[in-house]
Amino acid sequence: MKSALFLTALLAGAPVAAHAADSNAPLRFVLIPKVVHPWFDKVNSGAQEAAVSLSKITGRQISVEYRAPQAADVSSQNDIIERAISTHPDGLILDLLDEKGNRATMEEAVDEKVPMTIFDSVAPEGMNITAVGADFCQQGTMAAERLAKLINNKGEVAIMMGVPTAPNHAIRAKCEQAVFAKYKDIKVVAIGIDNDSIETGQKQASAIMQAHPNLAGWVACDAAGPVGIGQAIRESGKTGKVQEVGLDNLNDMIQLIKEGVAESSASSRPEMQGYWSVISAWQQAIGQKTPKYIDTGIDLITKQTL
């Protein structure tokens, strides 16, 4: 409700392109995330909320089609993007699996004059596309600094990557490593890769903890990894012995915090990312210029904030 009220106020003072004022034709956007995943369900929820709000406020039918790849595979994602382009939507909303691997398909969208908005990612170099999301380095830094404090700035730690080619995951990992490098008594002994899969994250975390019995703590680079890590910590009986600071606000992540398996989580507000991605797509569809970046901010989730 607050979002709808804010949007009404926003539109009241916003200039509207002349061609948009004369048209009541429906607008259709296609939202394509990295993979089928509960985090992206939250993004989609925010996107659908924005579509409903815009439809009510403008009197124009606005819809968002959600098309998620079954696996975090760039060729599969590109195929979905290409098929979406062929239907000539009024805008694409994308979360990139691979900045370089997605570029040719995105250039095809430019050639077909299909506007794009990027969320939870960064636009390929040289492409002028609005990006919606949090500061990924800040998010990774926040998690790593919190873990360092929990382990008294000493001990062995591990990092769980999501999809290594994904720009946001790679940025978080780099910034987490930079934090740990500041502390002479902290050593990064392993980096797992979960490919945005909770099950894979759990298996990777279990194997790493078996290989490193003195492991003091974990951070992650995506939303699936920390859930898998928490499950592995709980199943191995290491709750309280191996510390975890997670990412994002999946229900399973929140439950791990409530149980004391994870100490906290830094959330990049997926619902808000979906909401403002649709606002950006709509502005482009009616001929408005959009900002280069929309920062949705970061929430620190702890037992005290739940």
Side-chain angles (χ1 to χ4, degrees), residues 131-148:
V132 179
D135 183 324
F136 309 122
C137 188
Q138 180 187 359
Q139 189 181 15
T141 299
M142 181 187 298
E145 289 285 11
R146 197 164 182 91
L147 179 63

Side-chain angles (χ1 to χ4, degrees), residues 225-295:
V227 175
I229 291 167
Q231 291 174 348
I233 291 173
R234 183 170 53 200
E235 291 167 7
S236 64
K238 294 187 175 182
T239 299
K241 298 176 183 177
V242 177
Q243 301 294 330
E244 179 190 7
V245 176
L247 289 185
D248 281 302
N249 62 345
L250 295 188
N251 293 339
D252 287 344
M253 186 73 249
I254 291 173
Q255 184 60 35
L256 289 168
I257 294 171
K258 289 180 178 179
E259 293 175 8
V261 178
E263 187 272 340
S264 59
S265 184
S267 172
S268 57
R269 301 175 177 174
E271 298 91 342
M272 192 181 293
Q273 290 194 41
Y275 190 95
W276 285 99
S277 292
V278 172
I279 300 302
S280 172
W282 167 74
Q283 288 181 315
Q284 292 177 60
I286 64 171
Q288 295 299 318
K289 291 183 178 180
T290 54
K292 182 177 181 180
Y293 185 61
I294 299 174
D295 189 346

Side-chain angles (χ1 to χ4, degrees), residues 102-246:
N102 289 124
R103 186 180 187 109
T105 311
M106 296 172 69
E107 289 174 344
E108 181 181 336
V110 173
D111 291 341
E112 293 294 326
K113 294 181 172 51
V114 177
M116 285 177 287
T117 296
I118 302 297
F119 73 96
D120 192 42
S121 189
V122 294
E125 186 176 354
M127 297 192 78
N128 185 24
I129 302 172
T130 294
V132 179
D135 183 324
F136 309 122
C137 188
Q138 180 187 359
Q139 189 181 15
T141 299
M142 181 187 298
E145 289 285 11
R146 197 164 182 91
L147 179 63
K149 185 176 180 180
L150 285 173
I151 63 175
N152 297 315
N153 301 334
K154 61 182 178 181
E156 297 180 354
V157 299
I159 298 171
M160 184 68 74
M161 285 284 294
V163 180
T165 58
N168 56 335
H169 298 180
I171 290 170
R172 290 181 187 125
K174 181 179 179 180
C175 293
E176 288 166 352
Q177 289 172 316
V179 168
F180 296 138
K182 295 191 307 181
Y183 301 99
K184 63 182 180 63
D185 293 326
I186 292 181
K187 182 180 181 181
V188 178
V189 296
I191 296 178
I193 296 174
D194 62 63
N195 283 317
D196 243 339
S197 164
I198 293 173
E199 181 181 359
T200 301
Q202 187 273 335
K203 291 178 180 178
Q204 288 268 303
S206 293
I208 287 171
M209 287 191 292
Q210 287 178 4
H212 300 278
N214 295 321
L215 192 73
W218 279 98
V219 290
C221 302
D222 65 332
V227 175
I229 291 167
Q231 291 174 348
I233 291 173
R234 183 170 53 200
E235 291 167 7
S236 64
K238 294 187 175 182
T239 299
K241 298 176 183 177
V242 177
Q243 301 294 330
E244 179 190 7
V245 176

